């Protein structure tokens, strides 16, 4: 590239990096413990575990489970019920003041075999909760999510511009060169460039999926407007089905399984909640394979009759959201993938930290002669890529 193009790309890389670096550092640091959130929960003793019982132990009716959970908070309504991915001996029942979305929720863990309350875990406090909220929305709700999504977009711009600049930078150097005999700033520049290129695919994937995840609330609302509204047209104008008029939740679950017999339960959304309609108990099922276990199939069951009324396929944008969420945290391949994600996360922290260091130390840089590159070789005249990048790369 000529001098003008290099300067343009260097300017884009510098400012896109500078604006997002601090926030990306925060996301990488808070994301590291979230990769191992299940394992950390077990170590801290905050994970609820069902007691060991024979595999053929009969299961309690889901209606009984909900009755026991609601008795703990009789002034609240059941919003969701779910099971952990790795333990079908537990039910987690979420109760809120109203069916509307809220942060004011209580969770009750009930044994799926005995219908006994095992715990009332508090998911809105503690170290992991603080890490999660900082990582997801900076404790600022939807505006915080959208702001972090914009920072993710700037990260993608910084990655692309960094790749463009890396080609002229490495023209006279072997790949992976770190010039240890040079001054510290130049060594850090080489290390910054090397780790940036090595981790660029991972950083692009995690940055892109993270940006998509920040749109979750908006995507779900659009799905409700785009597809659910058409399915619910016959019920338009009717109020939320009263609890006293609803049929058995266990029968609703059985009807959903009959609709998709080779599926597992992800969660159940009750009438009037964000993931359901005022007139349906919506059962979200998932596949049994590692990939399909992240894809959901909603089954709308009439809350009164417990008959299946629809099982719409999720649109592509919701599928993209569901796929991006576990990919963002490395939840596809078990512990080996979690360890890989953690190592790449640490490498990205070094890239971001070294970029910040290079920017702060820029005033100490020594101008490079126009006729030579930093490696001491001619570049055929014009501006020197390394000289530009030394001053421009954060």
């Amino acid at each position: 590239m000529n001098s003008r193009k290099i300067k343009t790309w260097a300017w884009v890389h510098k400012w896109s990096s500078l604006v997002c670096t601090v926030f990306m550092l925060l996301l990488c640091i808070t994301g590291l413990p979230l990769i191992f959130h299940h394992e950390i929960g077990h170590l801290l003793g905050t994970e609820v575990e069902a007691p060991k019982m024979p595999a053929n132990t009969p299961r309690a009716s889901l209606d009984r489970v909900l009755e026991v959970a609601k008795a703990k908070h009789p002034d609240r309504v059941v919003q969701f019920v779910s099971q952990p991915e790795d333990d079908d001996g537990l039910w987690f029942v979420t109760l809120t003041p109203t069916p509307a979305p809220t942060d004011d929720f209580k969770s009750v863990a009930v044994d799926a075999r005995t219908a006994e309350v095992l715990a009332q875990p508090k998911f809105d406090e503690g170290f992991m909760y603080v890490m999660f909220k900082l990582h997801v929305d900076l404790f600022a709700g939807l505006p915080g999510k959208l702001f972090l999504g914009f920072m993710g977009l700037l990260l993608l711009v910084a990655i692309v511009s960094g790749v463009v600049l890396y080609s002229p930078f490495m023209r006279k150097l072997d790949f992976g060169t770190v010039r240890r005999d040079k001054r510290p700033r130049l060594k850090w520049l080489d290390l910054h460039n090397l780790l940036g290129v090595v981790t660029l695919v991972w950083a692009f994937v995690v940055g892109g999926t993270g940006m998509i995840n920040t749109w979750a609330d908006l995507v779900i609302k659009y799905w409700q407007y785009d597809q659910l509204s058409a399915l619910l047209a016959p019920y338009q104008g009717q109020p939320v089905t009263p609890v006293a008029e609803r049929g058995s939740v266990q029968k609703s679950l059985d009807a959903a399984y009959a609709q998709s017999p080779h599926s597992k339960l992800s969660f159940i959304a009750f009438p009037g909640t964000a993931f359901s309609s005022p007139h349906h108990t919506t059962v979200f099922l998932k596949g049994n394979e590692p990939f399909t276990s992240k894809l959901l199939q909603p089954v709308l069951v009439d809350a009164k009759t417990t008959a299946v009324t629809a099982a719409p396929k999720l649109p592509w944008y919701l599928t993209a959201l569901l796929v991006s969420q576990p990919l963002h945290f490395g939840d596809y391949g078990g512990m080996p993938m979690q360890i890989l994600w953690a190592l790449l996360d640490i490498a990205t922290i070094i890239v971001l930290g070294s970029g910040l260091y290079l920017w702060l130390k820029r005033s100490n840089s020594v101008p490079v002669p126009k006729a030579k590159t930093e490696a001491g070789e001619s570049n055929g005249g014009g501006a020197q890529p390394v000289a530009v990048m030394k001053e421009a790369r954060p």
Side-chain angles (χ1 to χ4, degrees), residues 79-111:
Q79 193 172 60
F80 304 110
V81 61
S82 63
Q83 289 189 301
E85 289 190 11
D86 56 350
D87 188 355
D88 63 355
L90 274 178
W91 285 109
F92 283 104
V93 183
T94 302
L95 302 107
T96 53
T98 67
T102 176
D103 289 331
D104 180 10
F105 66 90
K106 303 290 184 182
S107 183
V108 180
V110 183
D111 192 305

Side-chain angles (χ1 to χ4, degrees), residues 278-339:
H279 323 285
H280 292 86
T281 300
T282 304
V283 181
F284 285 85
L285 302 175
K286 59 185 179 180
N288 293 307
E289 302 299 325
F291 180 76
T292 59
S293 66
K294 309 303 179 182
L295 301 178
L296 301 183
Q297 169 62 61
V299 180
L300 278 68
V301 183
D302 190 290
K304 289 184 178 180
T305 67
T306 70
V308 174
T309 60
K313 294 292 183 182
L314 289 182
W316 66 268
Y317 50 84
L318 262 183
T319 299
L321 175 64
L322 293 172
V323 170
S324 69
Q325 288 177 338
L327 184 59
H328 184 71
F329 289 107
D331 287 345
Y332 277 112
M335 183 57 69
M337 191 169 181
Q338 289 175 278
I339 293 174

Side-chain angles (χ1 to χ4, degrees), residues 56 83 86 128 194 221 226 255 335 371:
N56 59 351
Q83 289 189 301
D86 56 350
M128 294 304 295
L194 174 61
K221 287 184 178 180
D226 179 45
M335 183 57 69

Side-chain angles (χ1 to χ4, degrees), residues 115-302:
E116 294 180 358
V117 174
L118 298 178
Q120 297 189 58
K122 295 183 178 180
F123 297 111
D124 57 350
E125 62 181 35
F127 171 75
M128 294 304 295
Y129 171 72
V130 172
M131 293 295 100
F132 177 76
K133 290 295 289 182
L134 286 174
H135 191 86
V136 170
D137 62 10
L138 300 176
F139 287 93
L142 181 59
K145 290 181 181 180
L146 296 179
F147 174 78
L148 291 178
F150 179 64
M151 293 299 104
L153 177 61
L154 290 181
L155 173 66
L156 301 185
V157 173
I159 291 172
V160 172
S161 58
V163 171
V164 172
L165 289 171
Y166 192 68
S167 176
F169 173 77
M170 293 301 295
R171 185 176 298 155
K172 299 296 183 180
L173 296 172
D174 294 330
F175 178 79
T177 297
V178 177
R179 288 164 286 184
R180 297 179 177 83
D181 57 333
K182 302 294 183 180
R183 58 185 182 278
R185 187 176 185 277
L186 190 54
K187 288 187 291 186
W188 275 108
L189 176 64
D190 288 342
L191 184 62
H192 174 85
N193 293 334
L194 174 61
L195 289 178
V197 167
V198 169
T199 62
L200 73 90
V201 174
W202 179 85
F204 197 90
V205 169
V206 172
T209 54
M211 182 177 66
I212 293 172
N213 289 340
T214 63
W215 303 338
D217 294 348
L218 300 179
V219 168
I220 292 169
K221 287 184 178 180
Y222 180 74
W223 172 63
Q224 292 172 326
Y225 168 80
D226 179 45
Q227 296 197 358
L228 271 189
S229 58
L231 294 172
L232 303 179
Y235 303 89
Q236 191 171 5
Q238 298 180 19
V240 175
T241 302
V243 175
E245 298 179 13
R246 298 177 190 175
S248 165
V249 179
Q250 182 64 57
K251 289 183 178 179
S252 297
L253 178 59
D254 293 339
Y257 276 137
Q259 178 75 22
S260 184
H262 301 293
S263 300
K264 296 173 62 178
L265 177 67
S266 178
F267 70 96
I268 301 174
F270 286 78
T273 60
F275 289 88
S276 190
S277 81
H279 323 285
H280 292 86
T281 300
T282 304
V283 181
F284 285 85
L285 302 175
K286 59 185 179 180
N288 293 307
E289 302 299 325
F291 180 76
T292 59
S293 66
K294 309 303 179 182
L295 301 178
L296 301 183
Q297 169 62 61
V299 180
L300 278 68
V301 183
D302 190 290

